[in-house]
Amino acid sequence: MSKGNLFIVSAPSGTGKTTILKEILNSVAGVSFSVSHTTRSPRQGEKDGVDYHFVSREDFLALQKQGTFLEWAEVHDNLYGTSRQEVEKTRNTGEDIILDIDTQGAGQIKNGPATDAIFVFIAPPSWEVLESRLTSRGTESIETIHLRLQNAREEINKILFYDYIVVNDLIEDAVDMLRAIILAERSRKKRSITGTPLPISLLSGHEEKATN
Ligand code: ADP
Ligand code: 5GP
């Protein structure tokens, strides 16, 4: 069995990444979502252990010192990190895993041990739409919205570092595009050779085996 794929998905806050990923988890089999640790307070409706592992700054830093995180970063004044163990455990079952992380964390993975990761950037169709989505979500103060919009400019500048770009204009189109990327990556030639059953009998020189 081959290892599951590791997908890194980044987007400026408010783009619609959480909305798209929920649709993907509901509609694509064999893919799961890595639950990060964060020092941010839960939003209304968010559940500990489901949306995030909500921890104090002190606990986060203790985990970081123990080497718990595959990557971690300070984003919009809060700490966020991905559990190394959770990612490896899932991939070793053959299931794909998606990391919803910022561009700093994506950079750490690109330069780190998981060199086979696939990088997807979700972009808003325009700055105006991004601001309006962030505001209409109604979960952030005006100050936090300004900070997130300011950081979005820097995040967009990292776009060329990603393998795929998905523009979230119509939600259905963006979900279709990300689903297509996940399915296409499962059919890559290198994955067929290392794990997924390859119809070897179809290759020339193997006709005899095919008839045996
Ligand atoms: P993120 O996780 O990227 O911060 P969310 O998924 O929370 O963003 O989406 C931000 C807001 O925009 C939410 O209110 C969501 O319902 C809305 N939204 C997401 N995608 C679209 C879309 N394609 N068209 C219109 N509204 C959207
Ligand atoms: P939010 O607070 O809106 O849930 O997330 C804010 C930002 O933190 C988003 O860009 C999200 O992708 C990023 N983020 C969430 N979890 C992690 C993580 O484990 N590591 C890193 N580096 N960023 C994360």
Side-chain angles (χ1 to χ4, degrees), residues 9-14 17-18 21 33-38 40-41 43 46 51-52 54 60 69 71-76 78-83 99-109 134 137 139-140 144 148 155:
V9 179
S10 304
S13 182
K17 183 172 39 149
T18 309
L21 291 181
F33 173 71
S34 160
V35 180
S36 296
H37 287 71
T38 183
R40 147 163 104 57
S41 309
R43 294 186 185 126
E46 283 185 331
D51 299 284
Y52 281 105
F54 294 99
F60 187 101
F69 300 127
E71 64 70 40
W72 70 278
E74 177 142 20
V75 193
H76 318 310
N78 289 299
L79 299 173
Y80 296 82
T82 302
S83 154
L99 270 52
D100 163 353
I101 63 176
D102 86 313
T103 52
Q104 302 171 74
Q108 289 171 35
I109 295 201
L134 203 46
R137 188 170 67 188
T139 53
E140 257 75 33
T144 311
R148 287 180 178 237
E155 288 169 323

Side-chain angles (χ1 to χ4, degrees), residues 45-164:
E46 283 185 331
K47 290 197 183 77
D48 189 31
V50 176
D51 299 284
Y52 281 105
H53 300 291
F54 294 99
V55 293
S56 66
R57 202 169 178 98
E58 196 185 2
D59 287 350
F60 187 101
L61 293 173
L63 289 168
Q64 186 265 321
K65 259 193 171 168
Q66 290 163 23
T68 301
F69 300 127
L70 176 64
E71 64 70 40
W72 70 278
E74 177 142 20
V75 193
H76 318 310
D77 294 339
N78 289 299
L79 299 173
Y80 296 82
T82 302
S83 154
R84 188 189 304 278
Q85 202 187 12
E86 185 185 333
V87 171
E88 277 315 298
K89 210 169 127 192
T90 304
R91 295 191 73 191
N92 287 337
T93 66
E95 187 153 308
D96 293 347
I97 188 160
I98 300 181
L99 270 52
D100 163 353
I101 63 176
D102 86 313
T103 52
Q104 302 171 74
Q108 289 171 35
I109 295 201
K110 187 118 185 171
N111 298 316
T115 49
D116 57 349
I118 300 138
F119 295 83
V120 182
F121 194 95
I122 304 181
S126 68
W127 291 116
E128 291 71 27
V129 168
L130 180 64
E131 184 165 0
S132 124
R133 285 187 191 159
L134 203 46
T135 311
S136 66
R137 188 170 67 188
T139 53
E140 257 75 33
S141 64
I142 289 289
E143 293 75 34
T144 311
I145 289 175
H146 282 149
L147 177 65
R148 287 180 178 237
L149 287 171
Q150 205 177 311
N151 291 344
R153 306 250 165 204
E154 280 178 37
E155 288 169 323
I156 295 264
N157 284 338
K158 305 268 167 47
I159 204 163
L160 293 180
F161 153 112
Y162 286 76
D163 300 312
Y164 295 96

